[in-house]
Amino acid sequence: MKKSILNYSVLLICMLFVQVQASAFNDPYLSKSFDISGPGKIETKTSGASVSIEGTEGNQVIVDMYGRRNGELADANDADVQNRLENYQIDIDKNGNTISVSVSTKKNQNWSKGNNLNLSFDIKVPYELSTDLNTSGGSISISRIDGDQTIKSSGGSIKISGSSGSIFTKSSGGSLSVSEFSGLLDLNTSGGSVKVYGMEGEVTINSSGGSVNLENVAGKVYASTSGGGIKADINNIDGGLTLKSSGGSISAIIPKDLPMDLDLNGGNVSTKLTNFEGEMKRDKIVGKSNGGGVLISMASSGGSIKLDYK
């Protein structure tokens, strides 16, 4: 009986120790909160740090900073980690309704390979918010906010979900992903793929280094890439559909029986047409279908064109 009680006590102590350790690992190194009145704005300028912004109830902005070593969440109480934080200049301030987050290195960091400290910011904000985000080495994520967003990244991916308003992105080294968005999108990348799923409004995409994939999209669409193909599944076209590629094939699925003006050019053009008037060749179709209407323009200098209907 005494042995059972002893074993139970040891087990209880071990469980408590694990819980304390887990709590320490989940605690942020730095946390700040600010109250704002009315629509606010977040400005970030980071080097080597990732930023995640999520809309929540209320009028408070909460900024939590975490760190990872070797891909794992680091212990907030680790003395070595605290020492490494001294190499960073970290500023989190408020000016009116604008919250600014800035991270830079104070000096050269001669850390061993695979043992560097990577910072990340988890920011909770009111649903209505605008941003101006800049990062030179980390990813950016935005979810559940409404406003004007400007996002620039030279080394990480950009992900936007469950949001609305207007978004301008410029990335030179990562992929772009947008899901469940309504409003205006202007996406630009020179080094990654672009995927838009579940969007209503107007979207402009320019990519010089990757493929473009559009699915469950409604509105006006312009997409151009010089480094990959384009796939588009369009539910409704309002204002035109323009798809261009200089390095791959293009395929699109649009509503059937749509009155449209067609301008299709590629190595091989494949589609089925009804009530068509115009010019039809193996590599070119130009004319009107069903009396003419919305412009459907698809052009590839290095691949085929395929237009299907649903």
Side-chain angles (χ1 to χ4, degrees), residues 8-24:
Y8 179 77
S9 299
V10 171
L11 178 61
L12 191 62
I13 292 172
C14 289
M15 291 177 62
L16 181 61
F17 176 77
V18 170
Q19 290 177 349
V20 170
Q21 288 293 99
S23 176

Side-chain angles (χ1 to χ4, degrees), residues 83-119:
N83 184 58
R84 290 175 185 272
L85 285 174
E86 295 298 322
N87 291 313
Y88 291 94
Q89 178 65 45
I90 302 168
D91 296 301
I92 304 174
D93 301 301
K94 176 188 175 186
N95 183 9
N97 275 350
T98 299
I99 310 299
S100 61
V101 177
S102 175
V103 178
S104 59
T105 54
K106 294 180 181 178
K107 57 184 178 180
N108 293 331
Q109 302 174 31
N110 297 317
W111 300 343
S112 61
K113 184 178 180 181
N115 198 37
N116 293 348
L117 178 67
N118 298 312
L119 300 182

Side-chain angles (χ1 to χ4, degrees), residues 4-293:
S4 298
I5 294 174
L6 179 62
N7 289 338
Y8 179 77
S9 299
V10 171
L11 178 61
L12 191 62
I13 292 172
C14 289
M15 291 177 62
L16 181 61
F17 176 77
V18 170
Q19 290 177 349
V20 170
Q21 288 293 99
S23 176
F25 272 68
N26 289 328
D27 288 341
Y29 298 114
L30 179 65
S31 182
K32 286 191 175 184
S33 62
F34 306 91
D35 291 325
I36 59 175
S37 57
K41 185 176 184 179
I42 297 288
E43 296 179 343
T44 69
K45 188 174 183 180
T46 65
S47 176
S50 298
V51 177
S52 175
I53 299 176
E54 181 182 6
T56 59
E57 295 283 355
N59 63 343
Q60 194 173 56
V61 174
I62 302 174
V63 182
D64 291 331
M65 187 186 80
Y66 296 88
R68 290 180 180 274
R69 294 176 62 186
N70 304 324
E72 300 292 335
L73 194 64
D75 185 353
N77 298 318
D78 189 304
D80 182 58
V81 171
Q82 295 291 340
N83 184 58
R84 290 175 185 272
L85 285 174
E86 295 298 322
N87 291 313
Y88 291 94
Q89 178 65 45
I90 302 168
D91 296 301
I92 304 174
D93 301 301
K94 176 188 175 186
N95 183 9
N97 275 350
T98 299
I99 310 299
S100 61
V101 177
S102 175
V103 178
S104 59
T105 54
K106 294 180 181 178
K107 57 184 178 180
N108 293 331
Q109 302 174 31
N110 297 317
W111 300 343
S112 61
K113 184 178 180 181
N115 198 37
N116 293 348
L117 178 67
N118 298 312
L119 300 182
S120 64
F121 290 88
D122 186 357
I123 306 175
K124 299 294 190 294
V125 301
Y127 293 121
E128 190 172 357
L129 185 94
S130 296
T131 65
D132 186 355
L133 311 177
N134 290 268
T135 178
S136 61
S139 63
I140 294 176
S141 173
I142 287 179
S143 64
R144 304 201 305 167
I145 62 175
D146 176 20
D148 298 330
Q149 324 302 335
T150 299
I151 308 170
K152 297 179 181 179
S153 172
S154 61
S157 63
I158 297 172
K159 183 177 181 180
I160 299 147
S161 62
S163 298
S164 60
S166 68
I167 293 180
F168 171 83
T169 72
K170 186 175 182 180
S171 173
S172 60
S175 62
L176 302 178
S177 173
V178 180
S179 62
E180 304 305 327
F181 179 83
S182 63
L184 175 65
L185 286 177
D186 189 345
L187 310 178
N188 303 272
T189 178
S190 59
S193 62
V194 179
K195 183 174 182 180
V196 177
Y197 176 83
M199 186 267 175
E200 182 175 354
E202 181 175 343
V203 56
T204 299
I205 299 171
N206 289 284
S207 174
S208 59
S211 61
V212 176
N213 194 325
L214 306 170
E215 188 175 349
N216 193 23
V217 171
K220 183 178 182 180
V221 177
Y222 175 94
S224 174
T225 177
S226 59
I230 300 175
K231 292 183 179 181
D233 187 340
I234 311 298
N235 291 337
N236 181 55
I237 301 172
D238 182 11
L241 172 66
T242 301
L243 307 175
K244 298 180 179 180
S245 174
S246 59
S249 61
I250 301 175
S251 63
I253 303 174
I254 64 175
K256 65 179 182 179
D257 301 325
L258 185 69
M260 54 188 173
D261 292 340
L262 289 170
D263 186 1
L264 312 179
N265 292 273
N268 182 68
V269 178
S270 172
T271 189
K272 293 181 180 179
L273 298 172
T274 58
N275 302 320
F276 178 74
E277 296 180 0
E279 180 183 7
M280 182 181 296
K281 296 182 179 180
R282 182 187 66 84
D283 61 350
K284 182 179 181 180
I285 295 178
V286 178
K288 298 179 181 295
S289 180
N290 298 318

